Each structure stands twice: as structure tokens, then as C-alpha cells.
């Protein structure tokens, strides 16, 4: 009996040590990244119309802001898990914030504060839209009613068409940004070798307004590989694909923003290895994040 008791004690001790060894890396991992928000992702969760966070929205009048034209803020209603990263989203030429409205609740429900903005005029060029995206981020983090929900060190920009060009120029101007996603971007400037912000360029295979051969692809190629970058081309899609709900745009935007704004390596699985070409993706290139 003493021998059995000693063996049982050793077994119990070994089990306790094993459990502790398993628990320590998990604790350390959580401590290493205090920005993780929400449950572990799955293919289904990043393709869903809504993520795990309940959201609300608030309108911002153009009369109460300077440097841009107002807009709508979408945000998670609970801060139980902490503050969130924030992203300003610009529309394209002649368009307003409603053209990008579908992105607001979809991205906010994944754990971000999203600000879809109106521009000063519908004819503003990319350099102006870049400054307006920056002004919107400044308003969002300094004066907005949701500013206490935002971690000001974790910001990003997105935009469509000329708003996409503005996204690239804002990333060039503010290297402290954590992520940029230009959507079927248009810009007369072709060289973005000064961009240091992790950038995912999303082009459209059938784009005749900003053909990928003269816009999205050169933009992507000019960004240094050391900055972390990706190029996703939507199969058979037109220039206006970002203006309506699009699962491919959503799932990879979520993954990119989570990976770089939240430093959440749980999303690496959707970016590296690179997604295969399929019915929705005609081409995908990247630097394989942090490989």
C-alpha cells in the first residue's frame, strides 16, 4: 500500500506539473498580446455578416467637424474586453459614405470602431481624401463621443477608388498607422515606396475605371516588401465591387486588420500561406506576414 500511495502521489504531481506547463504558455501568450478581441476565428466567423460583438452607431454632422465632411461611427457596445482599434473609411469619386456603409457594422462587429466618412466635396482628389482620412482619425480619437473606446495607438485607413488612393497617401504620410486597405484604388501617383504601413491592396479583375495593370498592381509592387503587403484581385469584379456587401473583401479585410491593428496572430492562418485562386480570387500575392 505505501508503494501504491507513493506512485499515486507521483502520478498526481506529474499531472499537476503537466497542467502547469500547458497553462504557462497560454498565460504568456495572452500577456504578450493584450489586444486580442473576441473568440478564436474560423473560416465561418470571418465570412459571417456579423461578428461576435453587438454594435451601435452614431452620426457625425459636417457642421461639427473640420477637415472632412462628417460621417457615421459604428462601434462595439461593450468594452468589457478593453478598448478597440479604429479605422476611417473614405468613399470614391462622386460618392458619399453610404457607398461604404455595409462595411461599418460588419467590421465593427468583429471588434473595431469604424468611421465611414463623407468628403468635403464629391470631387476631391486622392491627396485631399488622404488629409480628410487623417482629420477623421484625429476627430475620432480626440473629440468623438466614442473616443474612450479607442486605443489611439491602433489605427488604420481604408477607402474606395480615389478614397483608395487617399488611403495609400495617408499611409505614406502617417507611418505610425497600423494597417491600410485601398479598395480598387485610383491615383495618378504610382510610386508608394515610402509606405511603411502594412497594406493590403484589393483590385478588381474587370475594373475599367482603375485597371489593375495601371493602378492596383503598380501600387502593390512599389510598396517595400519589408512593410508587409498583400495584393488580392477579385475575380471578374468591376471597379464598384466594394460598394456592395462582398464576403471576399470582408473576410480578408477582417483578417488584415486583426493581424496588424490587433497584432492577432490567430488570423495568420487566413493570410499565410496565401489563399488559392478560386471563383472569387483571380490573383493573390503577399509577403506572407511575418514569415
Amino acid at each position: 500500500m505505501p508503494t501504491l500511495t507513493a506512485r499515486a502521489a507521483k502520478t498526481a504531481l506529474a499531472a499537476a506539473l503537466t497542467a502547469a506547463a500547458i497553462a504557462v504558455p497560454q498565460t504568456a501568450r495572452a500577456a504578450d498580446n493584450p489586444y486580442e478581441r473576441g473568440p478564436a476565428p474560423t473560416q465561418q466567423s470571418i465570412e459571417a455578416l456579423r461578428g461576435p460583438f453587438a454594435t451601435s452607431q452614431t452620426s457625425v454632422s459636417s457642421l461639427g467637424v473640420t477637415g472632412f465632411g462628417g460621417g457615421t461611427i459604428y462601434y462595439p457596445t461593450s468594452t468589457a474586453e478593453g478598448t478597440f482599434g479604429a479605422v476611417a473609411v473614405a468613399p470614391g469619386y462622386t460618392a458619399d459614405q453610404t457607398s461604404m456603409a455595409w462595411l461599418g457594422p460588419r467590421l465593427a462587429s468583429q471588434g473595431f470602431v469604424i468611421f465611414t466618412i463623407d468628403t468635403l466635396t464629391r470631387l476631391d482628389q486622392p491627396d485631399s481624401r488622404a488629409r480628410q482620412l487623417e482629420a477623421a482619425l484625429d476627430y475620432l480619437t480626440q473629440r468623438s463621443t466614442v473616443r474612450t473606446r479607442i486605443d489611439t495607438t491602433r489605427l488604420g485607413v481604408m477607402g474606395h477608388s480615389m478614397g483608395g488612393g487617399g488611403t495609400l497617401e495617408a499611409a505614406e504620410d502617417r507611418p505610425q498607422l497600423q494597417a491600410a486597405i485601398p479598395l480598387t484604388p485610383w491615383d495618378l501617383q504610382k510610386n508608394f515606396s515610402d509606405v511603411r504601413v502594412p497594406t493590403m491592396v484589393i483590385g478588381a479583375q474587370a475594373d475599367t475605371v482603375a485597371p489593375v495593370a495601371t493602378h492596383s498592381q503598380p501600387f502593390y509592387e512599389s510598396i517595400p516588401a519589408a512593410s508587409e503587403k498583400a495584393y488580392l484581385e477579385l475575380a471578374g469584379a468591376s471597379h464598384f465591387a466594394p460598394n456592395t456587401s462582398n464576403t471576399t473583401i470582408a473576410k480578408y479585410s477582417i483578417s488584415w486588420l486583426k493581424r496588424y491593428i490587433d497584432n492577432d496572430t490567430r488570423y495568420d492562418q487566413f493570410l499565410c500561406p496565401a489563399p488559392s485562386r478560386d471563383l472569387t480570387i483571380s490573383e493573390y500575392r503577399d509577403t506572407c506576414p511575418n514569415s
Side-chain angles (χ1 to χ4, degrees):
M1 289 297 293
T3 302
L4 289 175
T5 301
R7 184 179 297 125
K10 289 180 180 179
T11 300
L13 177 61
L17 291 173
T18 299
I22 293 172
V24 167
Q26 291 174 336
T27 303
R29 186 161 57 248
D32 287 343
N33 182 21
Y35 307 127
E36 283 185 7
R37 299 289 180 267
T42 64
Q43 193 76 22
Q44 183 178 18
S45 75
I46 62 171
E47 292 182 351
L49 290 176
R50 293 293 181 270
F53 293 90
T55 66
S56 189
Q57 65 189 72
T58 184
S59 296
V60 177
S61 170
S62 61
L63 300 177
V65 301
T66 56
F68 67 106
T72 303
I73 303 171
Y74 303 85
Y75 59 94
T77 56
S78 172
T79 55
E81 292 190 38
T83 54
F84 300 95
V87 183
V89 184
Y93 190 63
T94 75
D96 62 22
Q97 60 161 318
T98 60
S99 66
M100 307 304 293
W102 71 273
L103 274 171
R106 192 155 182 174
L107 297 182
S109 67
Q110 295 285 346
F112 297 101
V113 175
I114 304 296
F115 195 4
T116 57
I117 69 168
D118 281 320
T119 48
L120 294 173
T121 80
R122 296 191 179 206
L123 307 181
D124 293 325
Q125 299 295 300
D127 60 338
S128 174
R129 290 170 193 261
R131 293 192 297 272
Q132 292 180 62
L133 281 167
E134 294 172 38
L137 287 177
D138 291 342
Y139 170 82
L140 193 60
T141 57
Q142 297 169 19
R143 295 176 50 207
S144 77
T145 57
V146 302
R147 61 188 180 277
T148 57
R149 299 173 181 271
I150 298 170
D151 182 336
T152 59
T153 68
R154 298 187 288 126
L155 306 176
V157 285
M158 296 180 68
H160 172 236
S161 191
M162 283 195 180
T167 295
L168 287 161
E169 294 196 28
E172 186 176 51
D173 187 53
R174 287 199 181 184
Q176 67 268 37
L177 293 174
Q178 299 298 301
I181 305 178
L183 304 166
T184 61
W186 186 100
D187 203 319
L188 292 177
Q189 178 180 334
K190 304 302 179 185
N191 189 334
F192 290 95
S193 59
D194 290 334
V195 169
R196 296 295 179 268
V197 177
T199 300
M200 171 176 276
V201 179
I202 298 182
Q205 186 181 32
D207 192 336
T208 58
V209 177
V212 293
T214 54
H215 289 78
S216 291
Q217 290 179 354
F219 299 159
Y220 169 78
E221 290 164 0
S222 70
I223 299 170
S227 301
E228 295 295 0
K229 60 179 183 175
Y231 172 71
L232 187 157
E233 188 176 287
L234 301 167
S238 79
H239 181 69
F240 302 100
N243 293 151
T244 55
S245 182
N246 185 298
T247 295
T248 303
I249 291 175
K251 67 189 285 189
Y252 291 105
S253 294
I254 290 165
S255 298
W256 196 262
L257 297 175
K258 283 287 190 180
R259 179 61 189 85
Y260 289 105
I261 288 183
D262 287 358
N263 299 331
D264 196 335
T265 57
R266 297 178 299 175
Y267 289 80
D268 272 346
Q269 61 182 302
F270 308 113
L271 301 170
C272 183
S276 302
R277 295 185 183 187
D278 57 21
L279 294 177
T280 63
I281 299 175
S282 52
E283 184 176 354
Y284 191 98
R285 290 183 271 163
D286 69 4
T287 53
C288 208
N290 298 293
S291 60

